[in-house]
Amino acid sequence: MENTFINTQEHPLDLNWLRDFECLARTLNFTRASDERNITQSAFSRRIKALESWVGLPLVNRATYPVQLTEAGKQFLPVALTAISQLSETRQSLRDSDRGDSRFIRFSVLHTIAVNFLATRIEELQKQIPDLRTRVLSDSLSTCCDLLVEGVVDILLCYNHHSVSPMINEAAFERKDLLKDRLVPVAAVEPVRALGWDLGRQDGPPIPYLSYDRSSFLGMVVENTVDRKPQNTETIYVDSLVETIKRRLMTGSGFAWMPETAISSELDQGLLVPVGDEAWCATLTISAFSNPAAFDQTARQLWELL
């Protein structure tokens, strides 16, 4: 029987197809994989089919739940991972060599952790390691994980929570838990006092809610934990960035769950106040992932002190 995946007018291989395939092989779920890759599920499915057409064989068995890799898919996966890693490492090495900054230690990190934790920590570490040079790449969690897996960065910093599955194979990297953080429901002090906003109350007008996008890490944590409690709220704004939601908070637009590290100054000054007790909070961990076996002496010293 003729194989329907053979394409006589073969298209060039797209590196994104390999990244998509790695994500699908890890999650075994088209919906979650497309969310991680930040594209629609239909577009994601088309790219997987394009890769299968390029290979000439089906790589995924869609008739099972969860989906499973075919025998060809299992054989192709390590090849795809190696290709991604080698291409990314070579690209970054060439760029670093051209810029003269090959000694830079590279981080991929969520934006809010970069702003509220890593910047201060690097400043402290540079006092202990005078020749320390760092480059920080801030992006979405899926992209930050991809950069570590592909070898583009040396260290990944991200949040961890038991309700959200890791987006990388943790067994392939060393992990260090650096700091406990909390998601706290807060709002500007004026509307809380004037309108009596309190998540424990079920009566009265709903409290305007500034929500994280459900595809973001914090959005998934909130949805899977504290957001499941009965509450008298109305979502009026959705965003993926902590700093953007924080700006809306400061104007008194509504309440939001915020990492405590991102609002410590505002809490100390009384500009933001909690709108719920401890039962409405969630504990997060800021964790670092790396492969120390590939480190030089400076990177190894930083990892030990981090």
Side-chain angles (χ1 to χ4, degrees):
M1 180 180 295
E2 184 179 358
N3 192 320
T4 57
F5 284 94
I6 294 176
N7 186 351
T8 56
Q9 294 183 336
E10 191 174 281
H11 293 288
L13 177 64
D14 187 332
L15 183 58
N16 282 320
W17 298 351
L18 299 182
R19 293 192 176 104
D20 293 341
F21 179 60
E22 179 279 327
C23 188
L24 182 59
R26 175 166 41 82
T27 62
L28 299 178
N29 185 292
F30 273 87
T31 300
R32 183 180 169 194
S34 60
D35 285 343
E36 284 192 24
R37 297 293 293 151
N38 198 30
I39 60 175
T40 65
Q41 186 171 337
S42 59
F44 181 87
S45 181
R46 286 195 298 271
R47 295 202 325 200
I48 293 295
K49 288 179 179 178
L51 178 61
E52 290 176 317
S53 179
W54 184 87
V55 173
L57 290 169
L59 302 174
V60 181
N61 181 0
R62 296 164 176 80
T64 63
Y65 183 82
V67 298
Q68 299 293 327
L69 298 186
T70 63
E71 190 58 38
K74 294 175 183 178
Q75 294 180 36
F76 185 69
L77 178 59
V79 177
L81 294 176
T82 299
I84 293 171
S85 177
Q86 290 182 346
L87 285 169
S88 298
E89 287 180 13
T90 301
R91 177 187 63 184
Q92 193 61 42
S93 176
L94 290 170
R95 289 177 176 178
D96 288 346
S97 177
D98 182 62
R99 294 168 181 167
D101 58 3
S102 58
R103 293 173 58 249
F104 275 54
I105 299 170
R106 299 155 297 185
F107 289 83
S108 62
V109 56
L110 296 179
H111 183 264
T112 185
I113 297 177
V115 172
N116 299 299
F117 173 76
L118 185 58
T120 302
R121 188 71 186 112
I122 287 177
E123 188 173 356
E124 295 169 351
L125 289 169
Q126 284 178 323
K127 296 175 182 177
Q128 302 177 66
I129 312 174
D131 61 344
L132 179 63
R133 302 291 181 269
T134 57
R135 173 184 292 169
V136 177
L137 305 175
S138 299
D139 214 307
S140 67
L141 179 57
S142 60
T143 300
C144 287
C145 290
D146 284 345
L147 292 173
L148 178 67
V149 171
E150 295 168 12
V152 176
V153 300
D154 304 295
I155 300 173
L156 159 70
L157 261 65
C158 63
Y159 282 121
N160 261 297
H161 191 270
H162 62 83
S163 71
V164 181
S165 300
M167 292 187 177
I168 61 172
N169 178 12
E170 292 195 21
F173 300 97
E174 186 172 317
R175 169 179 166 179
K176 292 185 70 172
D177 293 335
L178 307 179
L179 181 73
K180 292 292 184 183
D181 203 351
R182 290 197 310 156
L183 273 180
V184 183
V186 294
V189 63
E190 290 84 1
V192 172
R193 290 176 176 172
L195 303 173
W197 287 351
D198 185 346
L199 289 174
R201 293 180 55 182
Q202 300 299 312
D203 60 338
I207 307 174
Y209 177 22
L210 312 173
S211 172
Y212 296 107
D213 188 281
R214 291 187 176 185
S215 66
S216 68
F217 180 85
L218 294 181
M220 288 187 282
V221 172
V222 171
E223 181 180 5
N224 291 330
T225 56
V226 287
D227 201 23
R228 292 185 172 183
K229 300 176 182 291
Q231 54 186 273
N232 183 24
T233 64
E234 180 182 4
T235 302
I236 64 166
Y237 180 75
V238 178
D239 205 307
S240 296
L241 293 178
V242 169
E243 296 303 318
T244 308
I245 292 179
K246 181 179 176 180
R247 292 192 187 98
R248 294 293 307 269
L249 274 177
M250 299 306 296
T251 66
S253 299
F255 91 97
W257 272 278
M258 296 292 291
E260 207 166 26
T261 53
I263 55 170
S264 57
S265 175
E266 289 78 9
L267 288 173
D268 291 343
Q269 296 176 58
L271 301 175
L272 295 175
V273 294
V275 295
D277 59 21
E278 191 63 30
W280 291 94
C281 299
T283 300
L284 303 169
T285 303
I286 296 178
S287 299
F289 295 87
S290 74
N291 179 15
F295 284 171
D296 61 17
Q297 183 175 351
T298 301
R300 192 171 295 109
Q301 185 180 6
L302 179 146
W303 180 249
E304 292 172 355
L305 295 172
L306 189 59

